[in-house]
Amino acid sequence: MKQDDLKSRYAIKLISSVAIVLLNGGVQIILPRALSVEEYGYYSYNLNVFTSIVNMANMSVSGAMVSKFSKRNEDRGLLVFYLFFYGIIAVLLNIGVIILFSLNLLQSSFEGQTLFVVLLALEVSILSRFFVDNIGIYDAMAIARFPAVSQIIMRLLIAATVIFGYLLGNINLVFFYITQISVTSLVTAVMLYAALTEQKKRYQQREYRYNIKKYAKEYYIYCRPLIGSSIFSQFTVIFMNWALMKWSGAVQQAQFGAAWQLNTLVTYVFSPYADLMRREFAIVYNKLDLLKHRFLQSMKLVTALTSFIVVFICVEVKNIIEIVYGDKYIGATSITVLIMLYTIFQSWGQIEGSYLYATENTKTNARIIILGQALTVIFVFLFQIPNFIWPKTIGGIGIALNYLLVNIISVETTLFIISRKIGISFLKYNMFQIVLIIFLGGIGIITKLLLEEIWQCATWIQLVLQTISVGIVYTVISLSLICIFPRIIGMSKNDKNTYLKKIIRR
């Protein structure tokens, strides 16, 4: 397998992400239409709750594995311990759910669902986390092509099965879960075998007995500051979703789930880059100037890309909701705008997290997590649980506000800490972000108003074509103005000219 430089790896990941977004988009268009609003609410609830439970049980071991393996590709013991740990966690989670369900302790949390459906939802979350960690192994070895192709194949198989099932009229929650489990298991097994084979081939390792205690101690030292904060963090996510389901019902859960799925699609743009930066930060963690340059470069890149997409979604939010989910989810527009604003800060947070993990500054990361989750609990009582301000709560808008406000405070606090540590201007960077959003927002709003004035839509196809047209014009105008004024995205004219010459030469 070929190793690539950072630019090539991100280009590969970005191209594969576009394909994944299209394939996932197809599934997300079908799923809300095939399932009832209540059933889609259960799907969203299960996804959020079990993702948090799996992450809680993981105790940041995945982050430790990627950070340490990036520095020591030759040490197979790091992978062996991770696989041993994850296998035990998977077994314990399944046993725990079965016992709690048999004792009638989970029925109220998963009301309306059988043990079989709940277990399927759990398996999907366990395998999804394992699949992401497999990609992390390849990232640590600077290999991008094989995992990118594998990911596309996996999404293609899931999308094809869902579309085929929908055409036959057999789509339901159980069918979708079984499809995800079958395909993800197969692709993940192939990827893991290929990664271990490649690692052994590169370093010609001899077979020897791994000292589990040695690696357990090493992982423990890394994860110890994060264990408590991580468990608290995931517990609050579960608490948020439980409060939404209990006091606002499955329909509001579905509305929030629809907005969250758009967030998930956007994260395919910046999450791969943030994952790659763990390795890039890790290998220069003791070279301050280079570390500072890479941090600023990566923050400006994700800011520009994420803001560009988010602004378009916010401008065209009603059309996008209707195109993707249909009329049943038109009430999700306000929730979607709030979640999209959250997404911008989420992209910053992921780069900041990669920096803290790569430099093994886990204490700072833990403190920020605790701050964020303490605020989350406060905001659950303020926005999601009936109180004297909102006796009936504000439903999906409440949980969206919770996510947004907590993320702004946590991300800005982390940026302030990192800024002081590496010597960059906190205020200057925030002004860069504000100017960029205003710039893109102005272009998007003007483009939308002009096209809607001359083009009235009467059918779904016309709505799709109008939205695509707004997107094309928005893109052309934005890129043109950025080329004229590259400072908008933090790039000098000389840097822009150099970059364009490299593209032309290729």
Side-chain angles (χ1 to χ4, degrees):
M1 294 182 189
K2 183 181 178 181
Q3 282 186 313
D4 298 289
D5 59 23
L6 177 62
K7 289 182 180 178
S8 298
R9 277 181 281 140
Y10 183 58
I12 292 166
K13 285 204 171 232
L14 193 57
I15 292 168
S16 66
S17 292
V18 172
I20 291 166
V21 166
L22 293 173
L23 293 169
N24 270 8
V27 173
Q28 292 307 320
I29 287 174
I30 290 173
L31 207 58
R33 288 170 168 80
L35 305 178
S36 66
V37 175
E38 289 77 10
E39 198 171 16
Y40 189 74
Y42 291 140
Y43 162 72
S44 175
Y45 179 74
N46 292 344
L47 177 65
N48 293 331
V49 168
F50 281 125
T51 297
S52 294
I53 289 173
V54 171
N55 288 337
M56 187 189 300
N58 185 270
M59 294 188 291
S60 299
V61 167
S62 297
M65 181 270 291
V66 174
S67 178
K68 291 180 177 296
F69 192 58
S70 295
K71 303 182 186 82
R72 292 151 48 194
N73 278 183
E74 74 285 354
D75 193 344
R76 177 173 286 214
L78 291 168
L79 301 182
V80 172
F81 178 81
Y82 163 74
L83 295 172
F84 173 76
F85 173 84
Y86 205 79
I88 291 175
I89 290 300
V91 171
L92 291 178
L93 285 175
N94 277 277
I95 293 173
V97 168
I98 292 171
I99 291 174
L100 290 175
F101 225 88
S102 64
L103 295 175
N104 294 323
L105 297 176
L106 285 182
Q107 273 77 349
S108 61
S109 298
F110 296 93
E111 189 175 353
Q113 301 183 74
T114 64
L115 174 61
F116 180 61
V117 172
V118 171
L119 282 175
L120 289 177
L122 173 62
E123 304 311 322
V124 168
S125 294
I126 289 172
L127 286 167
S128 296
R129 175 75 255 184
F130 191 51
F131 177 77
V132 170
D133 291 346
N134 267 265
I135 294 175
I137 293 171
Y138 283 94
D139 288 341
M141 294 193 290
I143 297 171
R145 303 178 190 214
F146 181 76
V149 172
S150 300
Q151 200 170 8
I152 290 172
I153 290 172
M154 185 186 80
R155 301 295 178 184
L156 180 62
L157 290 172
I158 292 174
T161 306
V162 168
I163 292 169
F164 184 70
Y166 180 66
L167 294 175
L168 293 178
N170 291 328
I171 278 282
N172 55 41
L173 203 51
V174 172
F175 176 88
F176 183 59
Y177 281 149
I178 291 175
T179 297
Q180 285 185 295
I181 291 168
S182 303
V183 175
T184 307
S185 299
L186 176 62
V187 176
T188 303
V190 172
M191 285 181 65
L192 180 60
Y193 175 78
L196 294 174
T197 302
E198 177 66 17
Q199 196 259 356
K200 186 174 182 179
K201 178 182 174 183
R202 285 187 185 184
Y203 298 100
Q204 299 294 319
Q205 292 179 335
R206 295 180 180 178
E207 294 295 329
Y208 62 92
R209 296 180 66 183
Y210 300 104
N211 189 334
I212 294 294
K213 289 184 179 180
K214 169 194 167 186
Y215 289 105
K217 182 178 180 181
E218 185 177 356
Y219 271 86
Y220 174 72
I221 292 171
Y222 181 100
C223 297
R224 181 176 56 188
L226 296 170
I227 292 173
S229 60
S230 178
I231 291 173
F232 185 35
S233 170
Q234 300 306 325
F235 171 77
T236 56
V237 174
I238 295 170
F239 182 45
M240 290 167 73
N241 281 275
W242 173 80
L244 179 62
M245 180 69 84
K246 180 174 179 60
W247 279 286
S248 301
V251 173
Q252 282 296 308
Q253 182 75 53
Q255 303 281 8
F256 171 71
W260 195 255
Q261 286 303 316
L262 290 176
N263 161 267
T264 302
L265 293 178
V266 179
T267 60
Y268 282 117
V269 174
F270 60 81
S271 286
Y273 183 75
D275 292 339
L276 291 177
M277 290 312 299
R278 286 195 182 190
R279 181 180 188 275
E280 299 307 310
F281 290 145
I283 60 180
V284 297
Y285 74 97
N286 57 350
K287 300 173 183 177
L288 184 59
D289 289 340
L290 192 52
L291 186 63
K292 174 181 174 180
H293 171 72
R294 288 193 177 175
F295 179 76
L296 278 174
Q297 186 183 50
S298 59
M299 287 289 278
K300 286 179 178 179
L301 177 61
V302 298
T303 295
L305 284 173
T306 309
S307 298
F308 174 78
I309 298 169
V310 162
V311 166
F312 173 70
I313 293 175
C314 288
V315 168
E316 286 288 308
V317 62
K318 287 186 178 179
N319 289 357
I320 290 173
I321 291 291
E322 189 171 345
I323 290 168
V324 176
Y325 300 110
D327 294 336
K328 293 186 294 184
Y329 292 86
I330 203 67
T333 52
S334 299
I335 302 171
T336 302
V337 171
L338 292 173
I339 291 298
M340 286 298 103
L341 294 176
Y342 158 85
T343 304
I344 293 176
F345 288 92
Q346 182 188 19
S347 67
W348 290 22
Q350 289 204 9
I351 296 295
E352 293 169 356
S354 293
Y355 171 88
L356 294 175
Y357 273 112
T359 56
E360 302 198 10
N361 194 357
T362 52
K363 287 184 179 180
T364 298
N365 202 15
R367 288 167 184 160
I368 295 298
I369 290 172
I370 291 172
L371 168 66
Q373 302 320 311
L375 291 170
T376 297
V377 173
I378 293 171
F379 290 150
V380 167
F381 286 97
L382 178 61
F383 297 128
Q384 295 186 243
I385 294 177
N387 53 63
F388 70 95
I389 302 174
W390 289 291
K392 296 182 179 180
T393 79
I394 46 177
I397 290 177
I399 191 172
L401 275 173
N402 196 336
Y403 270 106
L404 175 60
L405 295 177
V406 169
N407 211 33
I408 290 173
I409 296 169
S410 300
V411 168
E412 290 292 347
T413 303
T414 307
L415 181 60
F416 180 75
I417 293 170
I418 295 174
S419 297
R420 293 190 65 184
K421 189 174 184 63
I422 65 177
I424 62 175
S425 174
F426 172 76
L427 292 176
K428 184 178 178 181
Y429 188 82
N430 275 281
M431 284 303 298
F432 159 75
Q433 169 72 347
I434 293 168
V435 169
L436 181 60
I437 291 176
I438 293 173
F439 167 76
L440 293 171
I443 296 171
I445 291 169
I446 292 170
T447 303
K448 176 182 174 63
L449 291 176
L450 287 175
L451 280 178
E452 286 190 347
E453 186 68 28
I454 61 176
W455 188 350
Q456 300 298 319
C457 297
T459 65
W460 185 84
I461 295 296
Q462 288 178 335
L463 193 66
V464 172
L465 292 175
Q466 185 196 74
T467 304
I468 292 172
S469 299
V470 172
I472 292 171
V473 175
Y474 166 73
T475 301
V476 171
I477 295 175
S478 299
L479 291 179
S480 299
L481 290 175
I482 286 170
C483 285
I484 298 171
F485 307 106
R487 287 286 180 189
I488 293 169
I489 59 170
M491 184 184 290
S492 68
K493 287 188 177 181
N494 289 334
D495 290 340
K496 180 204 74 175
N497 293 333
T498 302
Y499 186 70
L500 289 174
K501 285 177 182 178
K502 286 182 179 180
I503 293 174
I504 292 170
R505 286 173 186 170
R506 289 184 180 181

